C-alpha cells in the first residue's frame, strides 16, 4: 500500500489492517496558530508493526479528496496511539487511547525540514500554510519524528508516566480550551494585534523542574505584569472574574514534606510573630530561607530545623541512590539527568514538583464539577486560579472552595470586572 492515503478505498485498507498500536502526529493548517483555533490538514499514522507510516489527507492542495469524516473510524481501531504531545493532539482528537511518550525529563523539540523553514520564513502569516507545503515534506518530517521517538514506546511505564498521561495532559488541555475573553483594543495595545474576542494560553509541560511555563505568541501568561495595566485586557464573558489564590503555598507544601503542622491558617502572620517583624518582612524572610537556605539566627525554630534535616537527608539519598522520587506524582529526579545540583536546589525542585502535582489534583477536581456550568477556569499560575464566573452559579463557588479545603489549602479571593481588579496602573 502506498504511503499517501487520499481516498476511501485506501483508507478502508488501513482501517481493516488489524494493527492495534500506532504512533500519531497531526499536521495542522499552520504551526503558529493555537490548536483551539486551528484545523487539521494531515494525520500521520505509523502502525508500530508496519514498515512505514501513512499520511492520511484531511485537507491539502495536493489531494482531490477529503477524508475528515472517516478519520475517527480509523483512529478508533487502535488500542493505543502513541504521540509526541498528548495535550496538543487532544485539541484535535479528544480520544482516550492517546499516550504521550515524551513526558519530563524529555524535552524533545519538534524538528523541521529546510522546506518548512523556507515556507515559514516567507509566508508564516498564511493561515493555511501547511496546505501548500508539499505533502512529501510533511511525511519526511513525521518519519523523522517517529524515528527519533520510537525507542520511547518500549520504555517501562512508570507511576509518573501514568500521572502525566491521565491527569497532567488532561487538565492543562482543558485550561487551554477555555480561552480568556479580551478587550481587543487594550490587548492589542499591550501585547500584539489580535482578531476575535478571545486569546488562548499554551502550556509547556516538558520543563526540567516539571513546573509548566505558559507562553503563546510572546505573551507570558504565567507572569503578566501587575503594575503597568496590561491585565485590564482580560475581561469576563460571564459576570465577573474571580481569582482564588493559595496563601503561603510553598511553606504549606514544605510543611507536608517535613511533617510539620502550623497552629494557624495565617502562616505568614505566624512567622511574623516568630521573627518579631512585620507581615511583609516575614514573607520575604520565609521565602529566602526556603529557596536559599536557613539563616543562622532562625535555625532554632522547629520548622526550619526540620527543613534543614529534610534537605540534608534528601541530598544524601540522592547521592547514594542516584535518584529521588517525588511524592504525589511519582516523578523521579535522576542524578545522571541533572547538572550542577546542590542540596538546596534539589529541595526546590522537589517543592516545585509537589506544587505542580498538587495543583493537578486540584484542577482535576475543579474541572469535574465545572461540567454543565457557564463558569470556566480560564487561567492558572502556580498558586493562583482565575475563574470566569457566572453570578447565577453562587453555589458553584462554594463547591470550588471545598476542593481547596479537601487538600488543606488556605485561600483568599478577589473579584472584579477585569483582571486588574480595579488597581491603577
Amino acid at each position: 500500500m502506498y504511503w499517501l492515503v487520499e481516498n476511501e478505498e485506501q483508507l478502508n485498507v488501513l482501517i481493516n489492517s488489524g494493527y492495534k498500536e500506532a504512533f500519531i502526529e497531526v499536521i495542522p493548517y499552520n504551526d503558529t496558530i493555537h490548536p483551539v483555533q486551528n484545523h487539521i490538514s494531515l494525520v500521520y499514522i505509523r502502525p508500530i508493526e508496519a514498515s512505514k507510516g501513512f499520511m492520511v489527507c484531511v485537507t491539502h492542495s495536493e489531494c482531490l479528496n477529503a477524508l475528515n469524516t472517516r478519520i475517527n473510524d480509523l483512529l478508533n481501531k487502535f488500542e493505543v496511539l502513541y504521540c509526541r504531545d498528548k495535550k496538543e493532539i487532544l485539541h484535535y482528537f479528544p480520544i482516550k487511547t492517546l499516550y504521550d511518550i515524551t513526558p519530563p525529563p524529555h524535552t524533545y523539540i519538534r524538528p523541521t525540514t529546510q522546506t518548512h523553514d523556507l515556507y515559514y520564513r516567507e509566508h508564516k502569516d498564511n493561515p493555511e500554510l501547511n496546505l501548500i507545503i508539499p505533502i512529501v515534506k510533511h511525511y519526511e518530517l513525521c518519519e523523522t519524528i517517529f524515528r527519533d521517538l520510537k525507542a520511547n514506546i518500549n520504555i517501562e511505564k512508570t507511576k509518573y508516566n501514568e500521572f502525566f498521561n491521565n491527569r497532567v495532559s488532561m487538565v492543562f488541555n482543558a485550561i487551554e480550551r477555555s480561552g480568556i475573553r479580551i478587550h481587543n483594543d487594550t490587548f492589542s495595545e499591550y501585547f500584539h494585534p489580535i482578531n476575535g474576542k478571545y486569546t488562548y494560553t499554551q502550556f509547556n509541560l516538558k520543563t526540567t523542574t516539571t513546573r509548566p511555563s505558559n507562553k503563546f505568541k510572546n505573551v507570558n501568561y504565567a507572569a503578566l505584569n501587575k503594575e503597568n495595566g496590561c491585565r485590564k485586557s482580560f475581561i469576563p464573558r460571564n459576570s465577573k472574574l474571580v481569582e482564588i489564590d493559595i496563601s503561603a503555598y510553598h511553606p504549606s507544601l514544605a510543611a507536608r514534606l517535613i511533617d510539620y503542622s502550623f497552629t494557624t491558617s495565617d502562616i505568614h502572620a505566624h512567622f511574623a510573630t516568630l521573627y518579631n517583624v512585620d507581615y511583609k518582612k516575614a514573607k520575604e524572610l520565609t521565602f529566602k530561607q526556603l529557596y536559599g537556605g536557613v539563616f543562622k539566627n532562625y535555625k532554632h525554630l522547629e520548622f526550619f530545623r526540620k527543613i534543614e534535616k529534610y534537605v540534608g537527608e534528601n541530598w544524601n539519598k540522592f547521592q547514594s541512590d542516584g535518584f529521588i522520587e517525588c511524592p504525589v506524582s511519582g516523578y523521579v529526579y535522576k542524578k545522571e539527568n541533572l547538572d550542577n545540583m546542590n542540596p538546596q536546589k534539589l529541595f526546590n525542585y522537589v517543592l516545585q514538583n509537589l506544587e505542580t502535582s498538587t495543583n493537578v489534583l486540584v484542577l482535576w477536581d475543579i474541572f469535574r464539577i465545572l461540567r454543565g456550568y457557564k463558569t470556566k477556569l480560564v487561567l492558572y499560575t502556580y498558586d493562583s486560579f482565575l475563574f470566569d464566573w457566572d453570578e447565577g452559579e453562587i453555589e458553584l463557588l462554594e463547591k470550588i472552595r471545598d476542593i481547596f479545603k479537601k487538600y488543606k489549602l488556605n485561600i483568599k479571593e478577589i473579584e472584579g470586572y477585569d483582571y486588574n481588579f480595579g488597581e491603577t496602573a
Side-chain angles (χ1 to χ4, degrees):
M1 181 177 168
Y2 191 53
W3 61 266
L4 180 59
V5 178
E6 55 181 332
N7 61 49
E8 292 280 341
E9 182 180 353
Q10 293 169 328
L11 186 64
N12 286 331
V13 171
L14 193 53
I15 289 174
N16 297 318
S17 62
Y19 294 123
K20 299 298 182 183
E21 298 184 352
F23 177 83
I24 182 174
E25 181 76 13
V26 174
I27 306 297
Y29 276 28
N30 184 307
D31 295 338
T32 66
I33 297 175
H34 195 284
V36 171
Q37 299 173 303
N38 224 331
H39 301 283
I40 302 167
S41 172
L42 303 159
V43 179
Y44 172 81
I45 295 290
R46 176 56 154 86
I48 304 306
E49 296 180 0
S51 59
K52 65 175 181 291
F54 301 92
M55 190 67 86
V56 182
C57 182
V58 177
T59 304
H60 195 278
S61 61
E62 296 177 357
C63 291
L64 297 176
N65 300 295
L67 298 172
N68 56 310
T69 58
R70 296 290 313 284
I71 192 68
N72 285 314
D73 294 340
L74 170 63
L75 299 185
N76 289 332
K77 285 289 184 177
F78 294 99
E79 295 176 359
V80 184
L81 284 167
Y82 300 106
C83 61
R84 173 186 55 84
D85 189 335
K86 178 174 179 174
K87 174 181 65 68
E88 179 182 325
I89 294 183
L90 280 170
H91 287 296
Y92 302 110
F93 299 111
I95 50 181
K96 295 180 180 179
T97 49
L98 290 171
Y99 195 90
D100 196 314
I101 56 174
T102 64
H106 300 284
T107 53
Y108 181 74
I109 299 174
R110 184 176 179 266
T112 61
T113 67
Q114 289 184 347
T115 302
H116 283 82
D117 291 341
L118 175 63
Y119 274 83
Y120 272 90
R121 193 161 52 243
E122 300 294 331
H123 311 286
K124 66 178 182 179
D125 294 329
N126 181 345
E128 299 182 351
L129 182 54
N130 283 336
L131 276 62
I132 60 174
I133 294 176
I135 296 179
V136 68
K137 305 311 292 185
H138 290 309
Y139 181 74
E140 176 187 325
L141 171 62
C142 291
E143 289 275 277
T144 299
I145 294 172
F146 176 72
R147 284 196 301 270
D148 290 345
L149 299 178
K150 64 180 179 181
N152 291 9
I153 292 172
N154 296 320
I155 293 176
E156 181 183 358
K157 307 299 185 290
T158 66
K159 176 183 175 182
Y160 183 73
N161 290 149
E162 301 305 313
F163 184 75
F164 185 86
N165 272 280
N166 298 330
R167 291 291 185 270
V168 180
S169 296
M170 305 287 283
V171 298
F172 287 105
N173 171 268
I175 298 173
E176 289 181 1
R177 280 190 282 111
S178 295
I180 314 174
R181 190 179 178 192
I182 57 168
H183 184 274
N184 196 293
D185 291 343
T186 309
F187 185 92
S188 298
E189 176 188 348
Y190 283 100
F191 301 110
H192 58 76
I194 188 170
N195 294 319
K197 297 180 179 180
Y198 297 92
T199 187
Y200 295 89
T201 65
Q202 190 168 55
F203 290 92
N204 173 22
L205 307 180
K206 319 262 176 107
T207 63
T208 304
T209 63
T210 71
R211 196 187 204 198
S213 57
N214 185 9
K215 184 183 290 186
F216 188 68
K217 287 194 172 181
N218 296 318
V219 180
N220 186 353
Y221 291 97
L224 292 168
N225 194 305
K226 294 183 178 181
E227 308 296 332
N228 69 355
C230 70
R231 293 186 174 213
K232 292 184 293 185
S233 307
F234 307 100
I235 59 177
R237 75 195 78 191
N238 293 307
S239 306
K240 289 182 179 180
L241 293 179
V242 177
E243 184 178 64
I244 296 180
D245 294 327
I246 301 175
S247 302
Y249 199 8
H250 277 196
S252 299
L253 293 174
R256 299 182 187 187
L257 292 173
I258 63 175
D259 193 25
Y260 177 87
S261 296
F262 288 103
T263 57
T264 175
S265 60
D266 193 336
I267 293 171
H268 292 307
H270 172 71
F271 277 120
T273 302
L274 294 177
Y275 300 144
N276 194 28
V277 298
D278 62 33
Y279 195 91
K280 182 178 180 181
K281 183 64 176 178
K283 287 179 67 175
E284 178 186 327
L285 286 171
T286 300
F287 287 125
K288 280 184 177 180
Q289 293 179 89
L290 277 180
Y291 300 135
V294 179
F295 298 162
K296 184 177 180 179
N297 51 328
Y298 297 122
K299 288 187 177 185
H300 67 284
L301 298 176
E302 182 185 1
F303 177 80
F304 289 114
R305 189 169 68 247
K306 286 190 170 186
I307 287 290
E308 269 206 319
K309 182 181 177 182
Y310 176 86
V311 169
E313 290 176 347
N314 204 45
W315 178 252
N316 291 337
K317 180 175 174 58
F318 182 70
Q319 292 292 91
S320 61
D321 297 348
F323 71 92
I324 53 149
E325 181 177 319
C326 297
V328 180
S329 69
Y331 184 78
V332 175
Y333 285 112
K334 294 182 179 179
K335 192 174 180 181
E336 63 194 59
N337 295 333
L338 299 170
D339 296 324
N340 303 316
M341 291 302 291
N342 59 57
Q344 193 64 41
K345 188 175 180 181
L346 181 64
F347 172 67
N348 293 341
Y349 275 28
V350 172
L351 199 56
Q352 288 188 23
N353 182 276
L354 181 58
E355 172 204 86
T356 301
S357 53
T358 301
N359 285 341
V360 167
L361 298 181
V362 171
L363 289 166
W364 181 265
D365 286 354
I366 287 173
F367 281 115
R368 287 183 66 184
I369 68 168
L370 285 181
R371 293 173 186 164
Y373 286 95
K374 294 179 181 178
T375 297
K376 292 180 178 292
L377 192 155
V378 295
L379 187 63
Y380 148 84
T381 50
Y382 311 136
D383 61 354
S384 178
F385 301 73
L386 183 67
F387 295 86
D388 189 327
W389 176 60
D390 184 283
E391 63 185 4
E393 299 171 346
I394 298 176
E395 77 288 351
L396 183 60
L397 277 183
E398 194 57 43
K399 291 180 180 179
I400 292 171
R401 295 183 189 111
D402 286 342
I403 291 173
F404 291 94
K405 290 178 185 176
K406 171 184 173 181
Y407 292 100
K408 299 179 180 179
L409 298 170
N410 301 312
I411 60 173
K412 55 186 178 181
E413 297 178 27
I414 187 171
E415 63 180 47
Y417 296 103
D418 62 51
Y419 194 28
N420 209 48
F421 296 120
E423 299 177 15
T424 56

